[in-house]
Amino acid sequence: MHENSEPSPLRGRVAREIISIVRREGLKAGDHLGESHLAEQIGISRSPVQAAMRLLAEHGVLERSTNRGFFLTRDASEWTEVAARFSSTPDNPLYLRIAEARQAQAIQDEVSEAELMRQFNVARSTLRKVLSRISEEGWVEQRVGQGWCFLPMIDSPDAYEESYLFRQAIEPTGLLSPSFRVEPLALAELRREQERIAKDGYLSMTPIELFEANSRFHETLAEWSHNRFILQSVRRVNQLRRLVEYRQASQRAPRQNQASEHLEILQAIEAMDAVRAASLMKSHLDGARRGKSKDKTLFS
């Protein structure tokens, strides 16, 4: 593969997901990667998974054996370089350009497709695919005709503060839900991941991997509440946070402390002490809120 060639956004995203799974599970050289299993974990068909694994083979971390599939050529601990390479382009470029323009107030609240096509120099079909995704994430709505209305997003320190106050009201409530039920296998996986981060992963994982691990923790606990509105709310806030945090340099030390706090919450959940788990969650989110409010680089 030539250094200057770029993977498609989908292939790059799926490759990044595969890298995250390999590193999260601590796989070893010679381990087999099953296409069907990966497709199920990522929530996508096998075809993009196959394309992404071919891409990773070009980068030398996988090899394909005829009629047997793909195998690791290196231990997961040696995938740091390839993880950093794929994390340097975390998302669809047009999606990020629109997000950054919106955060910089370079897009009006109400705008036509023609105006957006001129501003970003893209075809209507390309623009609509990205706007459809943004609509699903909840920060744009289509108006009658070909107009779009952008909705509030996390684009200022005050908005970040509000998002954390909202989470403090929602996430502890989910832990206290009468329908809260733990999935033991998922809990064990969360514990392993947070233990890895607390030990040394906060130093070796990429900023995107750290953010996704954090999101996975909070969304899994919200899912266990079996309250669809709590889960939808947590997912949407994480989507909006991603727009800010993907593009920011990661401060490493707080990630270790966050992982330790996550482990305390999991310990309370395992002990079936919902009140303590909820109290720990509220304190955890309040600490993160105060830490973020002091970070002057998020919106600079």
PDB file of all heavy atoms in Angstrom, residues 18 30-38 46 49-54 56-57 61-73:
ATOM      1  N   ILE A  18     -11.795  -2.845  14.332  1.00  0.00           N
ATOM      2  CA  ILE A  18     -11.093  -4.128  14.468  1.00  0.00           C
ATOM      3  C   ILE A  18      -9.841  -3.957  15.329  1.00  0.00           C
ATOM      4  O   ILE A  18      -9.556  -4.777  16.212  1.00  0.00           O
ATOM      5  CB  ILE A  18     -10.730  -4.694  13.082  1.00  0.00           C
ATOM      6  CG1 ILE A  18     -12.009  -5.072  12.317  1.00  0.00           C
ATOM      7  CG2 ILE A  18      -9.816  -5.919  13.222  1.00  0.00           C
ATOM      8  CD1 ILE A  18     -11.776  -5.459  10.869  1.00  0.00           C
ATOM      9  N   GLY A  30      -0.732 -15.016  15.663  1.00  0.00           N
ATOM     10  CA  GLY A  30      -1.212 -16.354  15.335  1.00  0.00           C
ATOM     11  C   GLY A  30      -2.677 -16.563  15.635  1.00  0.00           C
ATOM     12  O   GLY A  30      -3.282 -17.535  15.153  1.00  0.00           O
ATOM     13  N   ASP A  31      -3.292 -15.671  16.437  1.00  0.00           N
ATOM     14  CA  ASP A  31      -4.724 -15.795  16.729  1.00  0.00           C
ATOM     15  C   ASP A  31      -5.539 -15.531  15.465  1.00  0.00           C
ATOM     16  O   ASP A  31      -5.192 -14.680  14.648  1.00  0.00           O
ATOM     17  CB  ASP A  31      -5.148 -14.803  17.819  1.00  0.00           C
ATOM     18  CG  ASP A  31      -4.721 -15.251  19.212  1.00  0.00           C
ATOM     19  OD1 ASP A  31      -4.278 -16.410  19.338  1.00  0.00           O
ATOM     20  OD2 ASP A  31      -4.814 -14.442  20.153  1.00  0.00           O
ATOM     21  N   HIS A  32      -6.637 -16.251  15.346  1.00  0.00           N
ATOM     22  CA  HIS A  32      -7.526 -16.121  14.186  1.00  0.00           C
ATOM     23  C   HIS A  32      -8.568 -15.033  14.434  1.00  0.00           C
ATOM     24  O   HIS A  32      -9.075 -14.898  15.563  1.00  0.00           O
ATOM     25  CB  HIS A  32      -8.232 -17.453  13.919  1.00  0.00           C
ATOM     26  CG  HIS A  32      -9.214 -17.405  12.789  1.00  0.00           C
ATOM     27  ND1 HIS A  32     -10.575 -17.427  12.990  1.00  0.00           N
ATOM     28  CD2 HIS A  32      -9.029 -17.321  11.442  1.00  0.00           C
ATOM     29  CE1 HIS A  32     -11.201 -17.371  11.826  1.00  0.00           C
ATOM     30  NE2 HIS A  32     -10.283 -17.306  10.872  1.00  0.00           N
ATOM     31  N   LEU A  33      -8.872 -14.242  13.409  1.00  0.00           N
ATOM     32  CA  LEU A  33      -9.938 -13.249  13.478  1.00  0.00           C
ATOM     33  C   LEU A  33     -11.103 -13.736  12.626  1.00  0.00           C
ATOM     34  O   LEU A  33     -10.977 -13.833  11.404  1.00  0.00           O
ATOM     35  CB  LEU A  33      -9.460 -11.883  12.965  1.00  0.00           C
ATOM     36  CG  LEU A  33      -8.669 -10.991  13.918  1.00  0.00           C
ATOM     37  CD1 LEU A  33      -8.367  -9.664  13.235  1.00  0.00           C
ATOM     38  CD2 LEU A  33      -9.422 -10.755  15.215  1.00  0.00           C
ATOM     39  N   GLY A  34     -12.221 -14.047  13.266  1.00  0.00           N
ATOM     40  CA  GLY A  34     -13.381 -14.542  12.543  1.00  0.00           C
ATOM     41  C   GLY A  34     -14.214 -13.401  11.967  1.00  0.00           C
ATOM     42  O   GLY A  34     -14.598 -12.481  12.699  1.00  0.00           O
ATOM     43  N   GLU A  35     -14.495 -13.467  10.678  1.00  0.00           N
ATOM     44  CA  GLU A  35     -15.245 -12.396  10.024  1.00  0.00           C
ATOM     45  C   GLU A  35     -16.641 -12.247  10.613  1.00  0.00           C
ATOM     46  O   GLU A  35     -17.096 -11.128  10.874  1.00  0.00           O
ATOM     47  CB  GLU A  35     -15.335 -12.668   8.520  1.00  0.00           C
ATOM     48  CG  GLU A  35     -13.992 -12.640   7.812  1.00  0.00           C
ATOM     49  CD  GLU A  35     -14.098 -13.111   6.377  1.00  0.00           C
ATOM     50  OE1 GLU A  35     -15.246 -13.313   5.905  1.00  0.00           O
ATOM     51  OE2 GLU A  35     -13.064 -13.282   5.710  1.00  0.00           O
ATOM     52  N   SER A  36     -17.330 -13.365  10.795  1.00  0.00           N
ATOM     53  CA  SER A  36     -18.709 -13.308  11.306  1.00  0.00           C
ATOM     54  C   SER A  36     -18.750 -12.726  12.714  1.00  0.00           C
ATOM     55  O   SER A  36     -19.622 -11.908  13.043  1.00  0.00           O
ATOM     56  CB  SER A  36     -19.339 -14.703  11.295  1.00  0.00           C
ATOM     57  OG  SER A  36     -19.413 -15.199   9.984  1.00  0.00           O
ATOM     58  N   HIS A  37     -17.809 -13.130  13.545  1.00  0.00           N
ATOM     59  CA  HIS A  37     -17.758 -12.637  14.922  1.00  0.00           C
ATOM     60  C   HIS A  37     -17.499 -11.136  14.952  1.00  0.00           C
ATOM     61  O   HIS A  37     -18.154 -10.386  15.690  1.00  0.00           O
ATOM     62  CB  HIS A  37     -16.672 -13.384  15.690  1.00  0.00           C
ATOM     63  CG  HIS A  37     -16.535 -12.953  17.118  1.00  0.00           C
ATOM     64  ND1 HIS A  37     -17.562 -13.050  18.030  1.00  0.00           N
ATOM     65  CD2 HIS A  37     -15.485 -12.387  17.789  1.00  0.00           C
ATOM     66  CE1 HIS A  37     -17.148 -12.591  19.202  1.00  0.00           C
ATOM     67  NE2 HIS A  37     -15.904 -12.174  19.083  1.00  0.00           N
ATOM     68  N   LEU A  38     -16.550 -10.690  14.123  1.00  0.00           N
ATOM     69  CA  LEU A  38     -16.255  -9.252  14.060  1.00  0.00           C
ATOM     70  C   LEU A  38     -17.454  -8.468  13.542  1.00  0.00           C
ATOM     71  O   LEU A  38     -17.781  -7.397  14.067  1.00  0.00           O
ATOM     72  CB  LEU A  38     -15.045  -9.006  13.162  1.00  0.00           C
ATOM     73  CG  LEU A  38     -13.677  -9.400  13.716  1.00  0.00           C
ATOM     74  CD1 LEU A  38     -12.611  -9.248  12.645  1.00  0.00           C
ATOM     75  CD2 LEU A  38     -13.322  -8.565  14.941  1.00  0.00           C
ATOM     76  N   ARG A  46     -20.545  -8.605   6.669  1.00  0.00           N
ATOM     77  CA  ARG A  46     -19.208  -9.195   6.551  1.00  0.00           C
ATOM     78  C   ARG A  46     -18.371  -8.533   5.458  1.00  0.00           C
ATOM     79  O   ARG A  46     -17.142  -8.484   5.564  1.00  0.00           O
ATOM     80  CB  ARG A  46     -19.327 -10.701   6.281  1.00  0.00           C
ATOM     81  CG  ARG A  46     -19.827 -11.487   7.474  1.00  0.00           C
ATOM     82  CD  ARG A  46     -20.004 -12.965   7.133  1.00  0.00           C
ATOM     83  NE  ARG A  46     -18.751 -13.571   6.690  1.00  0.00           N
ATOM     84  CZ  ARG A  46     -18.651 -14.854   6.331  1.00  0.00           C
ATOM     85  NH1 ARG A  46     -19.722 -15.626   6.333  1.00  0.00           N
ATOM     86  NH2 ARG A  46     -17.479 -15.343   5.947  1.00  0.00           N
ATOM     87  N   VAL A  49     -16.145  -5.786   6.664  1.00  0.00           N
ATOM     88  CA  VAL A  49     -15.147  -6.375   7.566  1.00  0.00           C
ATOM     89  C   VAL A  49     -14.018  -7.003   6.757  1.00  0.00           C
ATOM     90  O   VAL A  49     -12.831  -6.830   7.069  1.00  0.00           O
ATOM     91  CB  VAL A  49     -15.802  -7.421   8.498  1.00  0.00           C
ATOM     92  CG1 VAL A  49     -14.740  -8.220   9.255  1.00  0.00           C
ATOM     93  CG2 VAL A  49     -16.740  -6.736   9.485  1.00  0.00           C
ATOM     94  N   GLN A  50     -14.377  -7.732   5.697  1.00  0.00           N
ATOM     95  CA  GLN A  50     -13.371  -8.338   4.832  1.00  0.00           C
ATOM     96  C   GLN A  50     -12.479  -7.268   4.208  1.00  0.00           C
ATOM     97  O   GLN A  50     -11.249  -7.416   4.147  1.00  0.00           O
ATOM     98  CB  GLN A  50     -14.048  -9.163   3.741  1.00  0.00           C
ATOM     99  CG  GLN A  50     -14.763 -10.403   4.257  1.00  0.00           C
ATOM    100  CD  GLN A  50     -15.615 -11.061   3.185  1.00  0.00           C
ATOM    101  OE1 GLN A  50     -15.871 -10.476   2.123  1.00  0.00           O
ATOM    102  NE2 GLN A  50     -16.080 -12.275   3.455  1.00  0.00           N
ATOM    103  N   ALA A  51     -13.089  -6.187   3.723  1.00  0.00           N
ATOM    104  CA  ALA A  51     -12.318  -5.101   3.109  1.00  0.00           C
ATOM    105  C   ALA A  51     -11.367  -4.472   4.121  1.00  0.00           C
ATOM    106  O   ALA A  51     -10.210  -4.164   3.798  1.00  0.00           O
ATOM    107  CB  ALA A  51     -13.260  -4.053   2.539  1.00  0.00           C
ATOM    108  N   ALA A  52     -11.833  -4.280   5.349  1.00  0.00           N
ATOM    109  CA  ALA A  52     -10.994  -3.672   6.381  1.00  0.00           C
ATOM    110  C   ALA A  52      -9.852  -4.594   6.777  1.00  0.00           C
ATOM    111  O   ALA A  52      -8.721  -4.136   7.010  1.00  0.00           O
ATOM    112  CB  ALA A  52     -11.849  -3.335   7.609  1.00  0.00           C
ATOM    113  N   MET A  53     -10.104  -5.896   6.818  1.00  0.00           N
ATOM    114  CA  MET A  53      -9.035  -6.831   7.172  1.00  0.00           C
ATOM    115  C   MET A  53      -7.986  -6.910   6.065  1.00  0.00           C
ATOM    116  O   MET A  53      -6.793  -7.054   6.339  1.00  0.00           O
ATOM    117  CB  MET A  53      -9.610  -8.205   7.506  1.00  0.00           C
ATOM    118  CG  MET A  53     -10.343  -8.219   8.844  1.00  0.00           C
ATOM    119  SD  MET A  53     -10.525  -9.852   9.583  1.00  0.00           S
ATOM    120  CE  MET A  53     -11.738 -10.572   8.499  1.00  0.00           C
ATOM    121  N   ARG A  54      -8.412  -6.789   4.810  1.00  0.00           N
ATOM    122  CA  ARG A  54      -7.433  -6.729   3.723  1.00  0.00           C
ATOM    123  C   ARG A  54      -6.559  -5.485   3.869  1.00  0.00           C
ATOM    124  O   ARG A  54      -5.348  -5.520   3.612  1.00  0.00           O
ATOM    125  CB  ARG A  54      -8.150  -6.719   2.366  1.00  0.00           C
ATOM    126  CG  ARG A  54      -8.761  -8.066   1.992  1.00  0.00           C
ATOM    127  CD  ARG A  54      -9.127  -8.108   0.509  1.00  0.00           C
ATOM    128  NE  ARG A  54     -10.153  -7.119   0.151  1.00  0.00           N
ATOM    129  CZ  ARG A  54     -11.451  -7.361   0.184  1.00  0.00           C
ATOM    130  NH1 ARG A  54     -11.905  -8.555   0.563  1.00  0.00           N
ATOM    131  NH2 ARG A  54     -12.314  -6.419  -0.178  1.00  0.00           N
ATOM    132  N   LEU A  56      -5.808  -3.973   6.698  1.00  0.00           N
ATOM    133  CA  LEU A  56      -4.893  -4.206   7.815  1.00  0.00           C
ATOM    134  C   LEU A  56      -3.781  -5.180   7.426  1.00  0.00           C
ATOM    135  O   LEU A  56      -2.654  -5.076   7.930  1.00  0.00           O
ATOM    136  CB  LEU A  56      -5.664  -4.721   9.035  1.00  0.00           C
ATOM    137  CG  LEU A  56      -6.604  -3.703   9.681  1.00  0.00           C
ATOM    138  CD1 LEU A  56      -7.463  -4.367  10.755  1.00  0.00           C
ATOM    139  CD2 LEU A  56      -5.804  -2.546  10.287  1.00  0.00           C
ATOM    140  N   ALA A  57      -4.101  -6.102   6.520  1.00  0.00           N
ATOM    141  CA  ALA A  57      -3.061  -7.007   6.014  1.00  0.00           C
ATOM    142  C   ALA A  57      -2.012  -6.215   5.236  1.00  0.00           C
ATOM    143  O   ALA A  57      -0.815  -6.510   5.291  1.00  0.00           O
ATOM    144  CB  ALA A  57      -3.683  -8.095   5.151  1.00  0.00           C
ATOM    145  N   VAL A  61      -0.189  -6.164   9.874  1.00  0.00           N
ATOM    146  CA  VAL A  61      -0.558  -6.682  11.198  1.00  0.00           C
ATOM    147  C   VAL A  61      -1.451  -7.923  11.100  1.00  0.00           C
ATOM    148  O   VAL A  61      -1.682  -8.612  12.096  1.00  0.00           O
ATOM    149  CB  VAL A  61      -1.256  -5.603  12.049  1.00  0.00           C
ATOM    150  CG1 VAL A  61      -0.260  -4.508  12.419  1.00  0.00           C
ATOM    151  CG2 VAL A  61      -2.471  -5.029  11.334  1.00  0.00           C
ATOM    152  N   LEU A  62      -1.963  -8.197   9.893  1.00  0.00           N
ATOM    153  CA  LEU A  62      -2.723  -9.410   9.632  1.00  0.00           C
ATOM    154  C   LEU A  62      -2.142 -10.101   8.413  1.00  0.00           C
ATOM    155  O   LEU A  62      -1.493  -9.477   7.582  1.00  0.00           O
ATOM    156  CB  LEU A  62      -4.206  -9.098   9.358  1.00  0.00           C
ATOM    157  CG  LEU A  62      -5.067  -8.520  10.479  1.00  0.00           C
ATOM    158  CD1 LEU A  62      -6.486  -8.290   9.968  1.00  0.00           C
ATOM    159  CD2 LEU A  62      -5.082  -9.423  11.694  1.00  0.00           C
ATOM    160  N   GLU A  63      -2.398 -11.393   8.323  1.00  0.00           N
ATOM    161  CA  GLU A  63      -2.065 -12.132   7.110  1.00  0.00           C
ATOM    162  C   GLU A  63      -3.224 -13.055   6.777  1.00  0.00           C
ATOM    163  O   GLU A  63      -3.905 -13.555   7.676  1.00  0.00           O
ATOM    164  CB  GLU A  63      -0.775 -12.934   7.274  1.00  0.00           C
ATOM    165  CG  GLU A  63      -0.827 -14.036   8.321  1.00  0.00           C
ATOM    166  CD  GLU A  63       0.491 -14.799   8.401  1.00  0.00           C
ATOM    167  OE1 GLU A  63       1.402 -14.466   7.627  1.00  0.00           O
ATOM    168  OE2 GLU A  63       0.588 -15.711   9.245  1.00  0.00           O
ATOM    169  N   ARG A  64      -3.420 -13.266   5.481  1.00  0.00           N
ATOM    170  CA  ARG A  64      -4.531 -14.093   5.035  1.00  0.00           C
ATOM    171  C   ARG A  64      -4.025 -15.464   4.618  1.00  0.00           C
ATOM    172  O   ARG A  64      -3.076 -15.572   3.834  1.00  0.00           O
ATOM    173  CB  ARG A  64      -5.251 -13.431   3.865  1.00  0.00           C
ATOM    174  CG  ARG A  64      -6.529 -14.146   3.453  1.00  0.00           C
ATOM    175  CD  ARG A  64      -7.275 -13.349   2.410  1.00  0.00           C
ATOM    176  NE  ARG A  64      -8.600 -13.902   2.163  1.00  0.00           N
ATOM    177  CZ  ARG A  64      -9.498 -13.346   1.368  1.00  0.00           C
ATOM    178  NH1 ARG A  64      -9.195 -12.203   0.735  1.00  0.00           N
ATOM    179  NH2 ARG A  64     -10.673 -13.890   1.183  1.00  0.00           N
ATOM    180  N   SER A  65      -4.664 -16.495   5.151  1.00  0.00           N
ATOM    181  CA  SER A  65      -4.337 -17.865   4.796  1.00  0.00           C
ATOM    182  C   SER A  65      -5.466 -18.418   3.928  1.00  0.00           C
ATOM    183  O   SER A  65      -6.644 -18.319   4.300  1.00  0.00           O
ATOM    184  CB  SER A  65      -4.183 -18.724   6.060  1.00  0.00           C
ATOM    185  OG  SER A  65      -3.953 -20.084   5.722  1.00  0.00           O
ATOM    186  N   THR A  66      -5.126 -18.962   2.793  1.00  0.00           N
ATOM    187  CA  THR A  66      -6.127 -19.466   1.857  1.00  0.00           C
ATOM    188  C   THR A  66      -7.079 -20.444   2.540  1.00  0.00           C
ATOM    189  O   THR A  66      -6.642 -21.403   3.190  1.00  0.00           O
ATOM    190  CB  THR A  66      -5.446 -20.160   0.665  1.00  0.00           C
ATOM    191  OG1 THR A  66      -4.523 -19.249   0.070  1.00  0.00           O
ATOM    192  CG2 THR A  66      -6.478 -20.588  -0.375  1.00  0.00           C
ATOM    193  N   ASN A  67      -8.358 -20.159   2.397  1.00  0.00           N
ATOM    194  CA  ASN A  67      -9.443 -20.999   2.947  1.00  0.00           C
ATOM    195  C   ASN A  67      -9.496 -21.038   4.475  1.00  0.00           C
ATOM    196  O   ASN A  67     -10.299 -21.779   5.041  1.00  0.00           O
ATOM    197  CB  ASN A  67      -9.345 -22.438   2.423  1.00  0.00           C
ATOM    198  CG  ASN A  67      -9.466 -22.507   0.917  1.00  0.00           C
ATOM    199  OD1 ASN A  67     -10.223 -21.744   0.313  1.00  0.00           O
ATOM    200  ND2 ASN A  67      -8.711 -23.414   0.304  1.00  0.00           N
ATOM    201  N   ARG A  68      -8.669 -20.246   5.138  1.00  0.00           N
ATOM    202  CA  ARG A  68      -8.671 -20.262   6.611  1.00  0.00           C
ATOM    203  C   ARG A  68      -8.966 -18.888   7.204  1.00  0.00           C
ATOM    204  O   ARG A  68      -9.283 -18.767   8.376  1.00  0.00           O
ATOM    205  CB  ARG A  68      -7.327 -20.772   7.134  1.00  0.00           C
ATOM    206  CG  ARG A  68      -7.033 -22.218   6.735  1.00  0.00           C
ATOM    207  CD  ARG A  68      -5.689 -22.662   7.287  1.00  0.00           C
ATOM    208  NE  ARG A  68      -5.692 -22.616   8.743  1.00  0.00           N
ATOM    209  CZ  ARG A  68      -4.630 -22.263   9.481  1.00  0.00           C
ATOM    210  NH1 ARG A  68      -3.511 -21.862   8.898  1.00  0.00           N
ATOM    211  NH2 ARG A  68      -4.701 -22.273  10.795  1.00  0.00           N
ATOM    212  N   GLY A  69      -8.847 -17.811   6.416  1.00  0.00           N
ATOM    213  CA  GLY A  69      -9.150 -16.484   6.915  1.00  0.00           C
ATOM    214  C   GLY A  69      -7.923 -15.712   7.337  1.00  0.00           C
ATOM    215  O   GLY A  69      -6.803 -15.981   6.892  1.00  0.00           O
ATOM    216  N   PHE A  70      -8.136 -14.744   8.235  1.00  0.00           N
ATOM    217  CA  PHE A  70      -7.077 -13.826   8.646  1.00  0.00           C
ATOM    218  C   PHE A  70      -6.536 -14.163  10.034  1.00  0.00           C
ATOM    219  O   PHE A  70      -7.299 -14.534  10.937  1.00  0.00           O
ATOM    220  CB  PHE A  70      -7.602 -12.391   8.651  1.00  0.00           C
ATOM    221  CG  PHE A  70      -7.857 -11.836   7.271  1.00  0.00           C
ATOM    222  CD1 PHE A  70      -9.066 -12.032   6.634  1.00  0.00           C
ATOM    223  CD2 PHE A  70      -6.862 -11.121   6.610  1.00  0.00           C
ATOM    224  CE1 PHE A  70      -9.308 -11.516   5.375  1.00  0.00           C
ATOM    225  CE2 PHE A  70      -7.085 -10.600   5.342  1.00  0.00           C
ATOM    226  CZ  PHE A  70      -8.308 -10.805   4.723  1.00  0.00           C
ATOM    227  N   PHE A  71      -5.215 -13.974  10.190  1.00  0.00           N
ATOM    228  CA  PHE A  71      -4.538 -14.260  11.454  1.00  0.00           C
ATOM    229  C   PHE A  71      -3.627 -13.092  11.809  1.00  0.00           C
ATOM    230  O   PHE A  71      -3.094 -12.403  10.924  1.00  0.00           O
ATOM    231  CB  PHE A  71      -3.699 -15.536  11.338  1.00  0.00           C
ATOM    232  CG  PHE A  71      -4.510 -16.781  11.121  1.00  0.00           C
ATOM    233  CD1 PHE A  71      -4.974 -17.112   9.853  1.00  0.00           C
ATOM    234  CD2 PHE A  71      -4.825 -17.609  12.193  1.00  0.00           C
ATOM    235  CE1 PHE A  71      -5.731 -18.254   9.642  1.00  0.00           C
ATOM    236  CE2 PHE A  71      -5.583 -18.757  11.990  1.00  0.00           C
ATOM    237  CZ  PHE A  71      -6.040 -19.081  10.721  1.00  0.00           C
ATOM    238  N   LEU A  72      -3.443 -12.866  13.112  1.00  0.00           N
ATOM    239  CA  LEU A  72      -2.552 -11.800  13.561  1.00  0.00           C
ATOM    240  C   LEU A  72      -1.102 -12.167  13.284  1.00  0.00           C
ATOM    241  O   LEU A  72      -0.683 -13.310  13.522  1.00  0.00           O
ATOM    242  CB  LEU A  72      -2.713 -11.548  15.062  1.00  0.00           C
ATOM    243  CG  LEU A  72      -3.804 -10.555  15.496  1.00  0.00           C
ATOM    244  CD1 LEU A  72      -5.197 -11.143  15.253  1.00  0.00           C
ATOM    245  CD2 LEU A  72      -3.647 -10.202  16.971  1.00  0.00           C
ATOM    246  N   THR A  73      -0.335 -11.201  12.810  1.00  0.00           N
ATOM    247  CA  THR A  73       1.107 -11.402  12.638  1.00  0.00           C
ATOM    248  C   THR A  73       1.892 -10.837  13.815  1.00  0.00           C
ATOM    249  O   THR A  73       3.081 -11.120  13.957  1.00  0.00           O
ATOM    250  CB  THR A  73       1.607 -10.725  11.351  1.00  0.00           C
ATOM    251  OG1 THR A  73       1.377  -9.305  11.446  1.00  0.00           O
ATOM    252  CG2 THR A  73       0.890 -11.282  10.128  1.00  0.00           C
TER     253      THR A  73
END
